[in-house]
Amino acid sequence: MFRPERMAKVSVTGARAVMPDVIETLHELGLVHLSDYDGSWDGFDNGDPIEGAEEASEKLVTVRALESTLDVTAEDVAPQSTLPDDWETKLADLRDRVNELDDEGSALRDERREVADRIDRLAPFAALGIDLDLLSGYESIDLVVGEGDRAEIEAELESAAEIRAFETFATDGVVAIAAAPATDDAPTEADTRGLVADALVSVEFTNYEVPDVDETPAAYLEDLETRRDELDRRLTEIETELADLATDRGPFLRRVERELTVDVDRAEAPLRFATTEHAFVAEGWIPAERFDAFEASLRNAAGESVEIEELEIADYEEHAHAHGDAHEVGDSDEKDRAETGDRETQSPESAAEEEPEPAKATDGGTTVSGASGAVTMDEDPPVVMDNLTPAKPFEMMVKMVGQPKYSELDPTFLVFLTYPIAFGFMIGDIGYGLLYMALGYGLWKGMDSSAGKALGTIGIWAGAFTAIFGYLYGELFGTHLSYLGIEGFPLMESLAKGLQSSEWALFWIVISLVFGLIHLNLGLLMGFVNELKHGLKAALYEKFSWILGMNGLFIWIFSHQDAGSFDHGVGFLPGDMTFGSMKPTFLAGATNEAVLYDYLGFAGFPELVGILGLIAMFVGLVMVGIGEGATGLVESPAWMFGHVLSYLRLTAVLLAKAGMAFAVNLLVWGGYSDGHGHTVFNLPTYDVSGYEMEFVGLIHLGDGPLISAIAIVAGILVLIFGHVLVLILGITSAGIQMLRLEWVEFYQKFYEGGGEEYEPFGRDVGQTAD
């Protein structure tokens, strides 16, 4: 449950003639996580693709290009059940039609961009209402059209000494300017060129180039807009036809893609093998318990033409170049090995062509892991996460950080235990819990992907615990069940959110701290187990030291021991204050102060236990200093104290969400004071006679029928949208906050990740091991 599935490394050696049969069988089994040959052995090369690989690859590229054009995705479109015999003809016809539509669409979009650009350039001239032939072709004046502030333009032109006279025409911010130069001689084109532009250099003015057309601006603009509309209609027709093709032919494309992917996968498999002219060697990882079935299947396919070996069973430790026990061999094999000696020195080709014998190699580089001459580089085993069925959806939350290493513990089961409980603790409402369960079920039912179904299942679990805690709190959409006239629920009167009593808030603070201590201790214990692979000494100094330090500190905090008794006369605290007096009395103190006393009968550990806790803390700090040096000591306040306090966010979210739901109900129903500091809602099911009104809710506003009706409608809207908002914020706050505690505080104690996911040859994407 906490360890990945045990993996075995296997080798398949045989003649080149049976390699296609072996590849076919391996693909059908979908069991072997193939290793890649690195080309490091003399006489062995990577194999060549099987005939037809290039053609299949080209067709696969075509299919995926068509899927991209038609927006056909695996999430939205399921493959059809069978592939027709004339699929290649159908594929070619579909490719031609899609390419034709796509090319036409590209040409039309280019033309539309050009037409739209012309419309944008012509619109200012159409607004002026002046024929275009009147706006160009002059030598004695400079005539420009642009956009700017007419008053500023005229002021600048008036003050320009090089301009003798000017005239402006303006409509909707578009200004036409005609200016004559100040010269005694007859003006020439050289005199007028750039005359207005030079005068308006300090004014914000956008100059428009006059289009060279024969029609009036309005007529030409109308023609352009007509053409644009025609292009839009045709583009819509093309998009509709492509959408119809996607709907009609999408399942066909998905099936073709699947078949071609299988063909390419099989055809390119020899690239991962080590081969000679006559032999091949393939190596990979399989679940150890599947070796017998794996061997039997290959024997049925290739008979005695292949040699199959279990080279090693990987241990749960840092993967070295030899692990665990080799596959057991018979007495005759042992006798043969004794007679023939160590075959590890054989050449790869002779090892492949002669009868192989089991052996181990620890050479540190490319390994010869058995008589078959396994020639791939040594690597860590891939990871198959092995969890109970209810916990499997929570593997997604672990993989989001990284696949566990084969050598480290898998935290999935603990995430399954802690995440829904903490979520339910923070939200704690029967109504919200049922809605979360419904949303989770809808997501699970509606999503085809494994990630979507996992997310839906997590939602169901989180909703279930939200409803359970809601039952314990006696809450239904922020309203205590007793206000609704529902009585007799066990514990309903024993727990409360803490909105109207500081003692409840303090109680949840203590519960959050205790939960954090348990959670972090579990993480440190898992880290201790992981570190045992480096030796007991490393595990003690690197993990057990933190267990001693953190628990020792909080045992003292929850005790009656006053650290001030150790610092009398030192004077490092102001006045009469001592370090011990800084401890909150609600954690440990008199029976009327400690908040756990009334509920759990705990008012704090005895003073002796507190002293032992301090001793344990200091011993832990010394071990941290020895094991991790100054860095560990600098980090000790965060690891021993800060990380535990981080769990107070559980209480913060609990109170915040309870307060939001309370505020929504108060706005809608209004509230009365019961005279004891409690506010009760003005519900029809609750008797508020004799209570003092504090707030009039929307439901009870209005003196007349119309105003009352409006107030009731407004109250219903506030009630619905308010609780929907709380529901959504519950996901983003409680969900994310607990996820942070899992990923940061908890994982930091033991988890590295970075393992390789088990991806067996021939297994469809998303399929899991049996």
Side-chain angles (χ1 to χ4, degrees), residues 204-227:
E204 186 175 345
F205 181 76
T206 304
N207 191 19
Y208 297 139
E209 182 181 354
V210 179
D212 184 16
V213 296
D214 297 331
E215 299 176 83
T216 64
Y220 187 49
L221 184 62
E222 185 178 354
D223 292 341
L224 290 175
E225 291 175 343
T226 300
R227 178 56 181 163

Side-chain angles (χ1 to χ4, degrees), residues 291-341:
F291 178 78
D292 291 338
F294 166 74
E295 183 179 32
S297 297
L298 279 180
R299 290 285 178 220
N300 290 336
E304 298 301 320
S305 299
V306 293
E307 183 62 32
I308 306 158
E309 285 188 85
E310 185 179 82
L311 302 176
E312 60 172 308
I313 297 178
D315 287 335
Y316 295 125
E317 60 185 25
E318 290 289 355
H319 188 62
H321 298 292
H323 287 276
D325 300 324
H327 186 56
E328 218 174 274
V329 293
D331 294 337
S332 60
D333 290 330
E334 296 290 352
K335 181 178 179 181
D336 290 343
R337 182 180 301 152
E339 292 174 355
T340 58

Side-chain angles (χ1 to χ4, degrees), residues 4 205 290 354 430 604 630 646 756 762:
F205 181 76
R290 302 296 301 276
E354 296 180 15
I430 297 173
S646 188
E756 183 177 5

Side-chain angles (χ1 to χ4, degrees), residues 81-154:
S81 57
T82 58
L83 199 61
D85 294 336
D86 60 343
W87 68 269
E88 292 181 275
T89 302
K90 291 181 180 293
L91 179 63
D93 293 341
L94 179 60
R95 177 199 61 203
D96 293 342
R97 183 54 182 159
V98 170
N99 287 342
E100 179 184 344
L101 292 171
D102 191 48
D103 291 343
E104 183 183 358
S106 296
L108 292 176
R109 281 186 287 271
D110 289 340
E111 183 181 353
R112 192 194 183 286
R113 279 192 294 270
E114 183 179 347
V115 169
D117 183 59
R118 290 181 181 178
I119 291 174
D120 291 339
R121 287 189 285 113
L122 191 64
F125 299 94
L128 283 174
I130 302 175
D131 290 348
L132 296 177
D133 58 352
L134 300 177
L135 297 174
S136 61
Y138 300 100
E139 294 184 357
S140 58
I141 63 172
D142 186 18
L143 197 152
V144 298
V145 177
E147 188 174 346
D149 185 271
R150 184 177 185 179
E152 293 181 2
I153 292 171
E154 290 180 345

